[in-house]
Amino acid sequence: WLSTPVGQMKDVNLWYPPLPVLKELWSVRRFVVNGLADAIEDVTKIFLICIGFCIVSTSSRHVGIKIPRSGWLLLLFLLYVHSNLVGDNLSHYVEDKVYTGLLAVGFEIPPKVRPPEDKDANILIRIVDDVIEDAFKFGCVMSHWEVGKLIGKDYAASFLRRMLGSLPASVLEPLIWLSGSIATYGTPLGRYNKCNAYGDALGEAVQAKMRTLWGADTV
């Protein structure tokens, strides 16, 4: 009966009460449906850049070569460009698999529509767009991660001890750990899609401004 029109009046679905912890749990579900592929792309970028830096750093120390700061900046630029391509292709693959899998288990989700790639833009402008998007998204998600830690470690624990303090410690402590973990991780995951969308829009706005200032694109 919760799925009937009466149970969904005024855009309220009775299956998803906006309660603490439960709200963050629904956020994790939305992240899996809408943001997992983008997150894998971001993790792939970070992983490949870190691996590249570690390999070059270890090799340079082994052969006794000191790399100047300009060399590290050039390495960062090259690693970012290539990791961006790898991460983008991997995210599209994962997105297709996740979408197919969710449909197979009964999730009703709209078809994925990827925005067309602007291949005519100057390569430097495209890189600036990606850097701004990723930088804002990283800062945005990390800020929500810090808020989630405060909620999960402090507020959730004190709230549950105050409300359920009569329960045995063997029951209460696992509840506190579970609720704190959901709040800690659900807070940034639940805001990931909005951070991603805003970062993408910010990058597009800067790209449009740069193209206006520079005039015609040259690749």
Side-chain angles (χ1 to χ4, degrees), residues 139-213:
C140 180
V141 172
M142 290 305 298
S143 65
H144 286 295
W145 162 261
E146 293 298 328
V147 173
K149 287 196 298 184
L150 291 175
I151 297 173
K153 292 184 178 180
D154 298 327
Y155 179 75
S158 62
F159 175 78
L160 288 177
R161 285 194 173 95
R162 188 167 61 250
M163 298 296 294
L164 305 174
S166 59
L167 292 176
S170 59
V171 176
L172 181 59
E173 293 303 321
L175 281 177
I176 291 175
W177 175 84
L178 179 60
S179 300
S181 298
I182 293 174
T184 299
Y185 297 104
T187 298
L189 292 180
R191 279 71 180 178
Y192 178 88
N193 292 329
K194 290 187 177 180
C195 291
N196 186 41
Y198 188 94
D200 188 43
L202 183 62
E204 292 290 339
V206 173
Q207 179 183 149
K209 187 65 176 179
M210 292 179 66
R211 296 178 68 168
T212 300
L213 293 175

Side-chain angles (χ1 to χ4, degrees), residues 88-126:
D88 191 48
N89 291 329
L90 181 60
S91 71
H92 288 171
Y93 174 80
V94 171
E95 186 177 53
D96 292 337
K97 294 299 182 182
V98 169
Y99 179 75
T100 303
L102 291 174
L103 288 179
V105 297
F107 276 85
E108 296 182 1
I109 53 179
K112 293 290 183 180
V113 178
R114 299 188 183 111
E117 184 181 355
D118 188 4
K119 296 182 179 181
D120 295 330
N122 182 293
I123 185 172
L124 178 60
I125 295 179
R126 294 203 302 267

Side-chain angles (χ1 to χ4, degrees), residues 4-178:
T4 65
V6 175
Q8 299 182 16
M9 293 177 63
K10 297 180 181 179
D11 298 325
V12 174
N13 191 332
L14 296 182
W15 282 112
Y16 305 109
L19 297 174
V21 179
L22 286 180
K23 181 180 179 181
E24 307 310 323
L25 193 58
W26 311 143
S27 298
V28 175
R29 174 186 176 277
R30 288 196 302 270
F31 167 77
V32 172
V33 173
N34 299 315
L36 182 60
D38 287 325
I40 288 176
E41 176 183 353
D42 296 335
V43 171
T44 300
K45 290 179 188 177
I46 295 173
F47 175 76
L48 292 178
I49 290 174
C50 290
I51 289 295
F53 264 94
C54 289
I55 292 175
V56 174
S57 178
T58 302
S59 300
S60 62
R61 286 199 305 268
H62 182 72
V63 299
I65 297 176
K66 185 177 180 180
I67 301 177
R69 183 174 300 178
S70 58
W72 289 113
L73 291 175
L74 177 61
L75 175 64
L76 176 61
F77 173 80
L78 295 175
L79 287 173
Y80 182 84
V81 172
H82 288 286
S83 65
N84 194 42
L85 294 174
V86 174
D88 191 48
N89 291 329
L90 181 60
S91 71
H92 288 171
Y93 174 80
V94 171
E95 186 177 53
D96 292 337
K97 294 299 182 182
V98 169
Y99 179 75
T100 303
L102 291 174
L103 288 179
V105 297
F107 276 85
E108 296 182 1
I109 53 179
K112 293 290 183 180
V113 178
R114 299 188 183 111
E117 184 181 355
D118 188 4
K119 296 182 179 181
D120 295 330
N122 182 293
I123 185 172
L124 178 60
I125 295 179
R126 294 203 302 267
I127 292 173
V128 170
D129 180 3
D130 290 335
V131 169
I132 290 176
E133 176 186 349
D134 292 338
F136 175 83
K137 183 173 20 177
F138 179 79
C140 180
V141 172
M142 290 305 298
S143 65
H144 286 295
W145 162 261
E146 293 298 328
V147 173
K149 287 196 298 184
L150 291 175
I151 297 173
K153 292 184 178 180
D154 298 327
Y155 179 75
S158 62
F159 175 78
L160 288 177
R161 285 194 173 95
R162 188 167 61 250
M163 298 296 294
L164 305 174
S166 59
L167 292 176
S170 59
V171 176
L172 181 59
E173 293 303 321
L175 281 177
I176 291 175
W177 175 84
L178 179 60

